Amino acid sequence: MMRPSRFVWAVAVIGTLFLLPVRAFSQQEAAPAEANAPAGGIVHTVVEGDTLWDLSAKHLGSPWKWTEIWERNRFITNPHYIYPGIKVVIVPPPPREITMKVEPPPAAAPEPVAPPAEEAKPVPAVAPAAGPGDRDLDSLPEDFVRAGEFVRDAPKGIGRIRGGKDSKVGFAENDAVYLGLDKTVPAGQMLGVYRVRGPIMVPAGGRPVSGYVKYLIGIIQVGPSVDGQLSGKVRQSFEDITREDLLSEEIPAYSRVKIVPGEEGIPSVVITARQLNKEIAPGDFVYLDKGASAGVAQGNVFRVFAPASLAVGSSRDSGGKVRTEAARAVIVRVNPDFSTAYVASGTESFAAGVSALRGIPAK
């Protein structure tokens, strides 16, 4: 028999569990647990110099997954600057399970047993066939965040690099620089560095298309003012950073792209590649002249065609030109007018200006 003191203690514990905020339980159930997360999760107390970018690199394996931490801590208004002293949930603890011992009811008198029915034969389980939508695009986070986009108007940032501590034309990782910004940002904030090309003009389907290519080439962390000049440090660089490159508070993040080919249709034109490549091949990013307003969505697959002589497997486009499939590209980013595609596979290289068509024909 349980002693009175132990009984009172057990009731108090159970009562306390029921008095815990319901919101806490719902958040734990909604947030996905990391594969190798410790049993109690990870809660980090921010110290000076911390960023979600660094915490993501340390605990999630890539700095470009910083949005996963931000989603769990939406009280943070500026994800590129976090204050010392706040607590940040990096990996949530698993949902709690509360079990209560229930005494079994008294055994009832046994009922007459019916004769056994004919045993049903088990139906063999058939695994559903994996469709194109069951696969994710195989791309590295470092590549994905640099996909960039094509926009109509010249991109505007919040400033540029004025110079460096050392006399250089281009700046790379760990270089100290001086910044000229159009707005006040706190020391410690992260800024994206973007390269802009353009204006670029190409004929697309009988109509001229013009715009600008904008893609990420580095990350800079704002420092304190030194002798009246705002300092900064290059935290990461994919290319040499110059004084002509734009600084922006926008920092892209990695997200998985589910491949959904889409219905066959939506003819498009390859405007240009991210780099100034005359020959475009698998692994490159390209920009198409159709976007969300035309029905293009992330994960769609476009077949890219190259001019060729009439041969088996070739066809003619609307203009009567002979074409063959040269590559397949998956949409990774979409804006209203244009889309960014990753050239995932191909049989031959191709140049800007060729046609593309959404969808994969049935065999």
Side-chain angles (χ1 to χ4, degrees):
M1 180 174 179
M2 183 182 292
R3 295 181 181 178
S5 61
R6 292 184 178 179
F7 177 80
V8 171
W9 180 84
V11 171
V13 170
I14 295 173
T16 302
L17 292 173
F18 281 107
L19 289 175
L20 285 174
V22 176
R23 182 180 177 85
F25 283 92
S26 65
Q27 287 179 343
Q28 290 167 359
E29 292 173 358
E34 299 297 324
N36 299 319
I42 300 175
V43 178
H44 175 78
T45 301
V46 175
V47 298
E48 187 174 356
D50 278 345
T51 65
L52 296 189
W53 198 72
D54 290 316
L55 294 176
S56 175
K58 179 179 179 180
H59 297 285
L60 304 184
S62 170
W64 310 110
K65 295 182 180 180
W66 60 266
T67 52
E68 294 184 21
I69 303 178
W70 191 31
E71 287 295 332
R72 296 167 185 153
N73 301 271
R74 292 315 294 261
F75 66 90
I76 298 174
T77 56
N78 180 355
H80 306 309
Y81 176 75
I82 49 179
Y83 295 88
I86 64 173
K87 293 186 181 297
V88 176
V89 177
I90 298 174
V91 178
R96 297 182 183 179
E97 294 184 1
I98 301 175
T99 57
M100 299 180 64
K101 185 177 181 181
V102 179
E103 294 293 334
E111 297 183 359
V113 179
E118 183 179 351
E119 184 177 355
K121 296 181 179 181
V123 179
V126 179
D134 297 325
R135 296 184 290 114
D136 289 340
L137 177 65
D138 183 16
S139 64
L140 296 174
E142 291 77 7
D143 293 333
F144 179 88
V145 297
R146 302 194 61 229
E149 62 179 337
F150 191 85
V151 294
R152 290 193 184 279
D153 300 321
K156 296 180 180 178
I158 63 168
R160 301 179 191 270
I161 295 176
R162 284 184 173 174
K165 185 176 180 181
D166 301 321
S167 180
K168 290 184 176 182
V169 175
F171 304 98
E173 200 164 319
N174 295 321
D175 280 347
V177 294
Y178 297 109
L179 311 177
L181 303 182
D182 301 329
K183 62 178 294 185
T184 302
V185 298
Q189 179 166 328
M190 309 292 280
L191 299 176
V193 186
Y194 288 85
R195 180 144 298 163
V196 175
R197 290 198 295 109
I200 297 170
M201 297 188 66
V202 295
R207 60 184 179 87
V209 172
S210 78
Y212 298 79
V213 170
K214 170 189 173 186
Y215 65 95
L216 184 79
I217 64 166
I219 298 289
I220 284 179
Q221 187 167 24
V222 178
S225 291
V226 179
D227 297 330
Q229 296 188 79
L230 185 62
S231 67
K233 181 180 180 180
V234 179
R235 295 293 308 279
Q236 184 161 3
S237 61
F238 298 104
E239 303 177 25
D240 279 350
I241 298 170
T242 72
R243 294 171 175 81
E244 300 301 318
D245 296 317
L246 291 182
L247 301 180
S248 171
E249 292 181 285
E250 174 193 356
I251 297 178
Y254 169 76
S255 61
R256 293 178 179 175
V257 176
K258 185 72 69 178
I259 298 177
V260 183
E263 296 181 2
E264 192 169 0
I266 309 185
S268 184
V269 171
V270 176
I271 300 171
T272 185
R274 183 185 64 190
Q275 306 280 353
L276 285 170
N277 297 351
K278 291 184 179 180
E279 295 293 326
I280 303 170
D284 290 335
F285 287 94
V286 296
Y287 308 107
L288 307 182
D289 72 329
K290 297 292 173 60
S293 60
V296 180
Q298 187 185 63
N300 286 175
V301 176
F302 275 77
R303 290 178 291 147
V304 180
F305 298 94
S309 58
L310 190 58
V312 177
S314 62
S315 61
R316 296 180 183 272
D317 61 18
S318 58
K321 296 180 180 179
V322 178
R323 62 182 190 177
T324 57
E325 183 177 320
R328 293 188 179 184
V330 180
I331 302 299
V332 298
R333 188 169 182 176
V334 180
N335 63 37
D337 301 314
F338 308 102
S339 54
T340 305
Y342 176 72
V343 183
S345 62
T347 57
E348 60 179 297
S349 61
F350 57 92
V354 300
S355 61
L357 184 68
R358 188 181 74 173
I360 300 174
K363 295 182 179 179

